[in-house]
Amino acid sequence: MLTLEFFLIISAALFSLGFAAVLTRRNVIMILIGIELMLSSANLNFIAFWRFGPDPDALTGVLFVLFSIAVAAAEAAVGLALIILIYRHFKSTNTFNFSLLNG
Amino acid sequence: MSTTAAFIAYSVLTLVTLGAALAAVSLRNIVHCGLSLALAFVGVAGFYILLGAEFVGFIQLLVYVGAVAVLIMFVILLTRPDGDPQPFTFDRLRRALPGLGIALAVFLVITISIRTSESLRAGAPDDAGVSIEALGHKLVTSHLLPLQITGVLLTAALIGAVLFAMKEDNN
């Protein structure tokens, strides 16, 4: 039978994969993909805790995830606009080339 | 849903989601990464539906797969990567090792703490489904202010994104 920890471990694996992408990849789009994966894993945690929590009728987790998805959409739009702007300036999406603030 | 059917659905969704997420973060061709990300989002939406939050699952399909993944694909196609995808070498793997080690450590710490806590082993209380009517009622009564703020935030993000991506013609 499915218990809460099954879903929490999936969520932890998703988070770690996204985290690994943020830490190791050199392309800003790949870093954004990692951030999106980590956001998804947090949302999955909210839904899992809502489903297995003591009071599912309160709908708290579902409402939180709805707002979280809206904020994530806004974040993706602004982040991708920034990537377009940076690409236009540096003609590259590799973080090695963005060393303007490097001391 | 019977226990066996739920377990089979869980196993299939786990394979699809984690496989697609692994492909999304590890493939060399970034177009393949974007497409795998869309598949991983579909898997997460499946998990929502399996957990009884059908409405959130469809919202996830609509917003993440339909909008965010497509937006990422657009940006991938608008920006050209620096040359062809580089082949796999052990030198590149060695440079990525510290990051991979930290991510693995995070995964192990979370997993061990999940496995050792007794209170997470309980099953679901009952087959609680979420009615969209109750959800909509809550959105416009007790959660009205967050809903309005989300609207303002989305408008601000839209204007900001357009401003950022606009052509700089003053210099």
Side-chain angles (χ1 to χ4, degrees), chain B residues 17-120:
Chain B
T17 309
L18 291 187
L22 186 67
V25 302
S26 62
L27 289 181
R28 300 247 59 96
N29 189 333
I30 192 163
V31 177
H32 297 166
C33 295
L35 293 172
S36 308
L37 181 74
L39 187 59
F41 284 154
V42 173
V44 174
F47 273 119
Y48 292 162
I49 293 170
L50 177 66
L51 280 163
E54 289 91 357
F55 184 68
V56 184
F58 293 127
I59 290 292
Q60 162 98 3
L61 278 181
L62 214 66
V63 174
Y64 269 102
V65 185
V68 173
V70 171
L71 202 62
I72 288 179
M73 285 309 292
F74 264 114
V75 173
I76 290 173
L77 296 178
L78 278 175
T79 63
R80 217 181 30 243
D82 318 326
D84 291 328
Q86 285 156 355
F88 175 85
T89 59
F90 280 100
D91 187 53
R92 293 170 62 85
L93 184 68
R94 196 175 48 78
R95 264 187 295 148
L97 264 186
L100 292 178
I102 293 172
L104 187 67
V106 167
F107 175 68
L108 286 180
V109 166
I110 299 176
T111 309
I112 289 170
S113 49
I114 289 168
R115 293 290 303 173
T116 48
S117 72
E118 299 283 331
S119 57
L120 299 181

Side-chain angles (χ1 to χ4, degrees), chain A residues 6 16 25 43 51 85 88, chain B residues 10 25 48 51 126 164-165:
Chain A
F6 281 73
S16 307
R25 298 303 295 255
N43 287 347
R51 180 68 179 82
L85 191 69
R88 200 181 287 148
Chain B
Y10 171 83
V25 302
Y48 292 162
L51 280 163
D126 50 352
F164 276 144

